Coordinates of all heavy atoms in Angstrom, one line a residue:
I1 N -6.3 -7.8 -4.2 CA -6.0 -8.3 -2.9 C -6.4 -7.2 -1.9 O -5.9 -6.1 -2.0 CB -4.6 -8.8 -2.8 CG1 -4.3 -9.9 -3.7 CG2 -4.3 -9.1 -1.3 CD1 -2.9 -10.3 -3.7
S2 N -7.1 -7.6 -0.9 CA -7.5 -6.6 0.2 C -6.4 -6.6 1.2 O -5.8 -7.7 1.5 CB -8.8 -7.1 0.8 OG -9.0 -6.4 2.0
V3 N -6.2 -5.5 1.8 CA -5.2 -5.4 2.9 C -5.6 -6.3 4.0 O -4.9 -7.0 4.6 CB -5.1 -3.9 3.4 CG1 -4.3 -3.8 4.6 CG2 -4.5 -3.0 2.3
R4 N -6.9 -6.3 4.3 CA -7.5 -7.1 5.4 C -7.1 -8.6 5.1 O -6.8 -9.3 6.1 CB -9.0 -7.0 5.5 CG -9.6 -7.7 6.6 CD -11.1 -7.5 6.7 NE -11.5 -6.2 6.6 CZ -11.5 -5.3 7.6 NH1 -11.1 -5.6 8.7 NH2 -12.0 -4.0 7.3
D5 N -7.1 -9.1 3.9 CA -6.8 -10.5 3.6 C -5.3 -10.8 3.9 O -5.0 -11.9 4.1 CB -7.1 -10.8 2.1 CG -8.6 -10.7 1.8 OD1 -9.4 -10.8 2.7 OD2 -8.9 -10.5 0.6
E6 N -4.5 -9.8 3.9 CA -3.1 -10.0 4.1 C -2.6 -9.9 5.5 O -1.5 -10.3 5.9 CB -2.3 -8.9 3.3 CG -2.4 -9.0 1.8 CD -1.9 -10.4 1.3 OE1 -0.8 -10.8 1.7 OE2 -2.6 -10.9 0.4
L7 N -3.5 -9.4 6.4 CA -3.1 -9.2 7.8 C -3.6 -10.4 8.6 O -4.7 -10.9 8.5 CB -3.8 -8.0 8.4 CG -3.4 -6.6 7.8 CD1 -4.2 -5.5 8.4 CD2 -1.9 -6.4 8.1
P8 N -2.7 -11.0 9.4 CA -3.1 -12.1 10.3 C -4.0 -11.7 11.4 O -4.0 -10.5 11.9 CB -1.7 -12.6 10.9 CG -0.9 -11.3 10.9 CD -1.3 -10.5 9.7
V9 N -4.9 -12.5 11.7 CA -5.8 -12.3 12.8 C -5.2 -12.8 14.1 O -5.0 -14.0 14.2 CB -7.2 -12.9 12.6 CG1 -8.1 -12.7 13.8 CG2 -7.8 -12.3 11.3
V10 N -4.9 -12.0 15.0 CA -4.2 -12.4 16.3 C -5.1 -11.9 17.4 O -5.5 -10.8 17.5 CB -2.8 -11.7 16.4 CG1 -2.2 -12.2 17.7 CG2 -2.0 -12.1 15.3
A11 N -5.6 -12.9 18.2 CA -6.4 -12.6 19.4 C -5.9 -13.3 20.6 O -5.6 -14.5 20.5 CB -7.8 -12.9 19.1
S12 N -5.8 -12.6 21.7 CA -5.4 -13.3 22.9 C -6.6 -13.3 23.8 O -7.6 -12.6 23.6 CB -4.3 -12.5 23.6 OG -4.7 -11.2 23.9
E13 N -6.5 -14.1 24.8 CA -7.7 -14.3 25.8 C -8.0 -12.9 26.4 O -7.1 -12.2 26.8 CB -7.3 -15.3 26.8 CG -8.5 -15.7 27.7 CD -8.1 -16.8 28.7 OE1 -7.3 -17.7 28.3 OE2 -8.5 -16.7 29.8
G14 N -9.2 -12.6 26.4 CA -9.7 -11.3 27.0 C -9.5 -10.1 26.1 O -9.8 -9.0 26.4
E15 N -9.0 -10.3 24.9 CA -8.9 -9.2 23.9 C -10.2 -9.0 23.2 O -10.7 -9.8 22.5 CB -7.8 -9.5 22.9 CG -7.5 -8.4 22.0 CD -6.4 -8.7 21.0 OE1 -5.4 -9.3 21.4 OE2 -6.5 -8.4 19.8
H16 N -10.8 -7.8 23.4 CA -12.1 -7.5 22.8 C -12.0 -6.4 21.8 O -12.9 -6.3 21.0 CB -13.1 -7.1 23.9 CG -13.2 -8.1 25.0 ND1 -13.9 -9.3 24.7 CD2 -12.8 -8.2 26.3 CE1 -13.9 -10.0 25.8 NE2 -13.2 -9.4 26.8
R17 N -10.9 -5.6 21.8 CA -10.9 -4.5 20.8 C -10.1 -4.9 19.5 O -10.0 -4.1 18.6 CB -10.2 -3.3 21.5 CG -11.0 -2.7 22.6 CD -10.4 -1.5 23.2 NE -10.0 -0.6 22.2 CZ -8.9 0.2 22.2 NH1 -8.1 0.0 23.2 NH2 -8.7 1.0 21.2
G18 N -9.6 -6.1 19.5 CA -8.8 -6.5 18.3 C -9.5 -6.2 17.0 O -8.8 -5.6 16.1
P19 N -10.7 -6.6 16.7 CA -11.3 -6.3 15.4 C -11.4 -4.8 15.1 O -11.2 -4.4 14.0 CB -12.7 -7.0 15.5 CG -12.6 -8.0 16.6 CD -11.6 -7.5 17.6
E20 N -11.7 -4.0 16.1 CA -11.8 -2.6 15.9 C -10.5 -2.0 15.6 O -10.4 -1.1 14.7 CB -12.4 -1.9 17.2 CG -13.9 -2.2 17.4 CD -14.1 -3.5 18.2 OE1 -13.1 -4.1 18.7 OE2 -15.2 -3.9 18.4
I21 N -9.4 -2.4 16.3 CA -8.1 -1.9 16.0 C -7.7 -2.3 14.6 O -7.1 -1.5 13.8 CB -7.1 -2.4 17.1 CG1 -7.4 -1.8 18.4 CG2 -5.7 -2.2 16.7 CD1 -6.7 -2.4 19.6
L22 N -7.9 -3.6 14.2 CA -7.6 -4.1 12.9 C -8.3 -3.3 11.8 O -7.8 -2.9 10.8 CB -7.9 -5.6 12.8 CG -7.6 -6.2 11.5 CD1 -6.1 -6.1 11.2 CD2 -8.0 -7.7 11.5
D23 N -9.6 -3.0 12.1 CA -10.4 -2.1 11.2 C -9.7 -0.8 11.0 O -9.7 -0.2 9.9 CB -11.8 -2.0 11.6 CG -12.6 -3.2 11.4 OD1 -12.2 -4.2 10.7 OD2 -13.7 -3.3 12.1
G24 N -9.2 -0.2 12.1 CA -8.6 1.1 12.0 C -7.3 1.1 11.2 O -7.1 2.0 10.4
V25 N -6.5 0.0 11.4 CA -5.3 -0.1 10.6 C -5.6 -0.3 9.1 O -5.0 0.3 8.2 CB -4.5 -1.3 11.1 CG1 -3.3 -1.6 10.2 CG2 -4.0 -1.1 12.5
V26 N -6.6 -1.1 8.8 CA -7.0 -1.4 7.4 C -7.5 0.0 6.8 O -7.2 0.3 5.6 CB -8.1 -2.5 7.3 CG1 -8.7 -2.5 6.0 CG2 -7.5 -3.8 7.7
D27 N -8.3 0.7 7.5 CA -8.8 2.0 7.0 C -7.6 3.0 6.7 O -7.6 3.6 5.7 CB -9.7 2.7 8.0 CG -11.1 2.0 8.1 OD1 -11.4 1.2 7.2 OD2 -11.8 2.2 9.1
L28 N -6.6 3.0 7.6 CA -5.4 3.8 7.4 C -4.7 3.4 6.1 O -4.3 4.2 5.3 CB -4.5 3.8 8.6 CG -4.9 4.6 9.8 CD1 -4.0 4.2 11.0 CD2 -4.9 6.1 9.5
L29 N -4.5 2.1 6.0 CA -3.8 1.6 4.8 C -4.5 1.8 3.5 O -3.9 2.2 2.5 CB -3.5 0.1 5.0 CG -2.5 -0.3 6.1 CD1 -2.4 -1.8 6.3 CD2 -1.1 0.3 5.8
D30 N -5.9 1.7 3.6 CA -6.7 2.0 2.4 C -6.6 3.5 2.0 O -6.5 3.8 0.9 CB -8.1 1.6 2.6 CG -8.4 0.1 2.6 OD1 -7.5 -0.6 2.1 OD2 -9.4 -0.3 3.2
G31 N -6.6 4.3 3.0 CA -6.4 5.8 2.8 C -5.0 6.1 2.2 O -4.9 6.9 1.2
L32 N -4.0 5.4 2.7 CA -2.7 5.6 2.1 C -2.6 5.2 0.7 O -2.0 5.8 -0.2 CB -1.6 4.9 2.9 CG -1.3 5.5 4.3 CD1 -0.4 4.6 5.1 CD2 -0.6 6.9 4.1
R33 N -3.2 4.1 0.4 CA -3.3 3.5 -1.0 C -4.0 4.5 -1.9 O -3.5 4.8 -3.0 CB -4.0 2.2 -1.1 CG -4.0 1.6 -2.5 CD -4.8 0.3 -2.6 NE -4.1 -0.7 -2.0 CZ -4.6 -1.5 -1.0 NH1 -5.8 -1.4 -0.6 NH2 -3.8 -2.5 -0.5
E34 N -5.1 5.1 -1.5 CA -5.8 6.0 -2.3 C -5.0 7.3 -2.5 O -5.0 7.8 -3.6 CB -7.1 6.4 -1.6 CG -8.2 5.3 -1.6 CD -9.4 5.6 -0.7 OE1 -9.6 6.8 -0.3 OE2 -10.2 4.7 -0.5
Q35 N -4.3 7.8 -1.5 CA -3.5 9.0 -1.6 C -2.3 8.7 -2.6 O -2.0 9.6 -3.4 CB -2.9 9.4 -0.3 CG -3.9 10.0 0.7 CD -3.3 10.4 2.0 OE1 -2.1 10.4 2.2 NE2 -4.2 10.6 3.0
F36 N -1.8 7.5 -2.5 CA -0.7 7.1 -3.4 C -1.1 7.2 -4.8 O -0.5 7.8 -5.7 CB -0.2 5.8 -3.0 CG 0.9 5.2 -3.8 CD1 2.2 5.6 -3.7 CD2 0.6 4.3 -4.8 CE1 3.2 5.1 -4.5 CE2 1.6 3.8 -5.6 CZ 2.9 4.2 -5.5
H37 N -2.2 6.5 -5.1 CA -2.7 6.4 -6.5 C -3.2 7.8 -7.0 O -3.2 8.0 -8.2 CB -3.7 5.3 -6.6 CG -3.2 4.0 -6.6 ND1 -2.5 3.4 -7.7 CD2 -3.2 3.0 -5.7 CE1 -2.1 2.2 -7.4 NE2 -2.5 1.9 -6.1
A38 N -3.6 8.7 -6.1 CA -4.1 10.0 -6.5 C -3.0 11.0 -6.7 O -3.2 12.1 -7.3 CB -5.1 10.5 -5.5
H39 N -1.8 10.7 -6.2 CA -0.7 11.6 -6.3 C -0.3 11.9 -7.8 O -0.1 11.0 -8.5 CB 0.5 11.1 -5.5 CG 1.6 12.0 -5.4 ND1 2.5 12.3 -6.3 CD2 1.9 12.9 -4.3 CE1 3.4 13.2 -5.9 NE2 3.0 13.5 -4.7
A40 N -0.2 13.2 -8.1 CA 0.1 13.5 -9.5 C 1.4 12.9 -10.0 O 1.5 12.5 -11.2 CB 0.1 15.1 -9.7
G41 N 2.4 12.9 -9.2 CA 3.7 12.3 -9.6 C 3.6 10.9 -9.8 O 4.2 10.3 -10.8
V42 N 2.9 10.2 -9.0 CA 2.7 8.7 -9.2 C 1.9 8.4 -10.4 O 2.3 7.6 -11.2 CB 2.1 8.1 -7.9 CG1 1.7 6.6 -8.2 CG2 3.0 8.2 -6.7
K43 N 0.8 9.2 -10.6 CA 0.0 9.0 -11.8 C 0.8 9.2 -13.1 O 0.7 8.5 -14.0 CB -1.1 10.0 -11.8 CG -2.3 9.6 -11.0 CD -3.4 10.7 -11.1 CE -4.7 10.3 -10.6 NZ -5.7 11.3 -10.8
A44 N 1.7 10.2 -13.1 CA 2.5 10.5 -14.3 C 3.5 9.4 -14.5 O 3.8 9.1 -15.7 CB 3.2 11.9 -14.1
M45 N 4.1 8.9 -13.5 CA 5.2 7.9 -13.6 C 4.7 6.5 -13.8 O 5.5 5.7 -14.4 CB 6.1 8.0 -12.4 CG 6.9 9.2 -12.2 SD 7.9 9.2 -10.7 CE 8.9 7.7 -11.0
L46 N 3.6 6.2 -13.3 CA 3.1 4.8 -13.2 C 3.2 4.0 -14.6 O 3.7 2.9 -14.6 CB 1.7 4.7 -12.6 CG 1.3 3.3 -12.2 CD1 2.2 2.6 -11.2 CD2 -0.1 3.4 -11.6
P47 N 2.7 4.6 -15.7 CA 2.7 3.8 -16.9 C 4.1 3.4 -17.3 O 4.4 2.3 -17.7 CB 2.0 4.7 -17.9 CG 1.2 5.6 -17.1 CD 1.9 5.8 -15.8
S48 N 5.0 4.4 -17.2 CA 6.4 4.2 -17.6 C 7.1 3.1 -16.7 O 7.8 2.2 -17.1 CB 7.2 5.5 -17.6 OG 8.6 5.2 -17.7
V49 N 6.9 3.3 -15.4 CA 7.5 2.4 -14.4 C 6.9 1.0 -14.6 O 7.7 0.0 -14.7 CB 7.2 2.9 -13.0 CG1 7.6 1.8 -12.0 CG2 8.0 4.2 -12.7
L50 N 5.7 0.8 -14.8 CA 5.1 -0.5 -15.1 C 5.6 -1.1 -16.4 O 5.9 -2.3 -16.4 CB 3.6 -0.5 -15.1 CG 2.9 -0.2 -13.8 CD1 1.4 0.0 -14.0 CD2 3.2 -1.2 -12.7
A51 N 5.8 -0.3 -17.4 CA 6.3 -0.8 -18.7 C 7.8 -1.3 -18.5 O 8.2 -2.3 -19.0 CB 6.3 0.3 -19.7
R52 N 8.6 -0.5 -17.7 CA 10.0 -0.9 -17.5 C 10.0 -2.2 -16.7 O 10.9 -3.1 -17.0 CB 10.7 0.2 -16.8 CG 10.9 1.4 -17.7 CD 11.3 2.7 -17.0 NE 12.4 2.5 -16.1 CZ 12.5 3.3 -15.0 NH1 11.7 4.3 -14.7 NH2 13.6 3.2 -14.2
V53 N 9.1 -2.4 -15.7 CA 9.1 -3.6 -15.0 C 8.7 -4.8 -15.9 O 9.3 -5.9 -15.9 CB 8.2 -3.5 -13.8 CG1 7.9 -4.9 -13.1 CG2 8.7 -2.5 -12.7
S54 N 7.7 -4.5 -16.7 CA 7.2 -5.6 -17.6 C 8.3 -6.0 -18.6 O 8.3 -7.2 -19.0 CB 6.0 -5.0 -18.4 OG 5.5 -5.9 -19.3
H55 N 9.1 -5.1 -19.0 CA 10.2 -5.4 -20.0 C 11.4 -5.9 -19.3 O 12.4 -6.2 -20.0 CB 10.5 -4.1 -20.8 CG 9.4 -3.8 -21.8 ND1 8.6 -2.7 -21.6 CD2 9.0 -4.3 -23.0 CE1 7.7 -2.6 -22.6 NE2 8.0 -3.6 -23.4
G56 N 11.4 -6.0 -18.0 CA 12.6 -6.5 -17.3 C 13.7 -5.5 -17.2 O 14.8 -5.9 -16.8
T57 N 13.5 -4.2 -17.4 CA 14.6 -3.3 -17.3 C 14.6 -2.6 -15.9 O 15.5 -1.7 -15.7 CB 14.5 -2.2 -18.4 OG1 13.2 -1.6 -18.3 CG2 14.7 -2.9 -19.8
L58 N 13.6 -2.9 -15.1 CA 13.5 -2.3 -13.8 C 13.0 -3.4 -12.8 O 11.9 -4.0 -13.1 CB 12.6 -1.1 -13.8 CG 12.4 -0.3 -12.5 CD1 13.7 0.3 -12.0 CD2 11.3 0.8 -12.6
A59 N 13.7 -3.6 -11.7 CA 13.2 -4.5 -10.7 C 12.0 -4.0 -10.0 O 11.8 -2.8 -9.8 CB 14.3 -4.8 -9.7
P60 N 11.1 -4.9 -9.6 CA 9.9 -4.4 -8.9 C 10.2 -3.6 -7.7 O 9.5 -2.6 -7.4 CB 9.1 -5.8 -8.6 CG 9.6 -6.7 -9.6 CD 11.0 -6.3 -9.9
G61 N 11.2 -4.0 -6.9 CA 11.5 -3.3 -5.7 C 12.0 -1.9 -6.0 O 11.6 -0.9 -5.3
A62 N 12.8 -1.7 -7.1 CA 13.3 -0.4 -7.5 C 12.1 0.4 -8.0 O 12.0 1.6 -7.8 CB 14.3 -0.6 -8.6
A63 N 11.1 -0.2 -8.7 CA 9.9 0.5 -9.2 C 9.2 1.0 -8.0 O 8.7 2.2 -8.0 CB 9.1 -0.5 -10.0
A64 N 9.0 0.2 -7.0 CA 8.3 0.7 -5.8 C 9.0 1.8 -5.1 O 8.4 2.8 -4.7 CB 8.1 -0.5 -4.8
R65 N 10.3 1.8 -5.0 CA 11.1 2.9 -4.4 C 10.9 4.2 -5.3 O 10.8 5.2 -4.7 CB 12.6 2.5 -4.3 CG 12.8 1.6 -3.1 CD 14.3 1.4 -2.9 NE 15.0 0.7 -4.0 CZ 15.0 -0.6 -4.1 NH1 14.4 -1.4 -3.2 NH2 15.6 -1.1 -5.1
E66 N 11.0 4.0 -6.6 CA 10.8 5.2 -7.4 C 9.4 5.9 -7.2 O 9.3 7.1 -7.1 CB 10.9 4.9 -8.9 CG 12.4 4.7 -9.4 CD 12.4 4.5 -10.9 OE1 11.5 4.9 -11.6 OE2 13.5 3.9 -11.4
L67 N 8.4 5.0 -7.2 CA 7.1 5.6 -7.0 C 6.9 6.1 -5.6 O 6.2 7.2 -5.4 CB 6.0 4.5 -7.3 CG 6.0 4.0 -8.7 CD1 5.1 2.8 -8.9 CD2 5.4 5.1 -9.6
L68 N 7.4 5.5 -4.6 CA 7.3 6.0 -3.2 C 8.1 7.4 -3.1 O 7.6 8.3 -2.5 CB 7.8 5.0 -2.2 CG 6.9 3.9 -1.9 CD1 7.6 2.8 -1.1 CD2 5.6 4.3 -1.3
D69 N 9.2 7.4 -3.8 CA 10.0 8.7 -3.8 C 9.2 9.8 -4.4 O 9.1 10.9 -3.9 CB 11.3 8.5 -4.5 CG 12.3 7.8 -3.6 OD1 12.1 7.6 -2.4 OD2 13.4 7.3 -4.2
A70 N 8.5 9.5 -5.5 CA 7.7 10.5 -6.2 C 6.5 10.9 -5.3 O 6.2 12.1 -5.3 CB 7.1 9.9 -7.5
C71 N 6.0 10.0 -4.6 CA 4.9 10.3 -3.7 C 5.3 11.2 -2.5 O 4.5 12.0 -2.0 CB 4.2 9.0 -3.2 SG 2.7 9.2 -2.3
R72 N 6.5 11.1 -2.1 CA 7.0 11.9 -1.0 C 7.3 13.4 -1.4 O 7.6 14.2 -0.5 CB 8.3 11.3 -0.4 CG 8.0 10.0 0.3 CD 9.3 9.4 0.9 NE 9.0 8.1 1.5 CZ 9.6 7.0 1.2 NH1 10.6 7.0 0.4 NH2 9.3 5.9 1.8
K73 N 7.4 13.7 -2.7 CA 7.7 15.0 -3.2 C 6.5 15.9 -3.3 O 5.4 15.5 -3.4 CB 8.4 14.9 -4.5 CG 9.7 14.3 -4.4 CD 10.4 14.2 -5.8 CE 11.7 13.5 -5.6 NZ 12.4 13.3 -6.9

């Protein structure tokens, strides 16, 4: 799923920079996603976290928090 597909397109009359601003936001989010997946702590934890979610021993929200916490270190 692309970040762009998830963002609503909102345009008001006379708004001409909307697409450029949206592109900038999408680029930032893509960069954050790349940094997240490249982070050594996230890489190390991801298989275990995904296995725990798959087995029902960790809620998806808790998994996201664990991985985000690892990324902040």
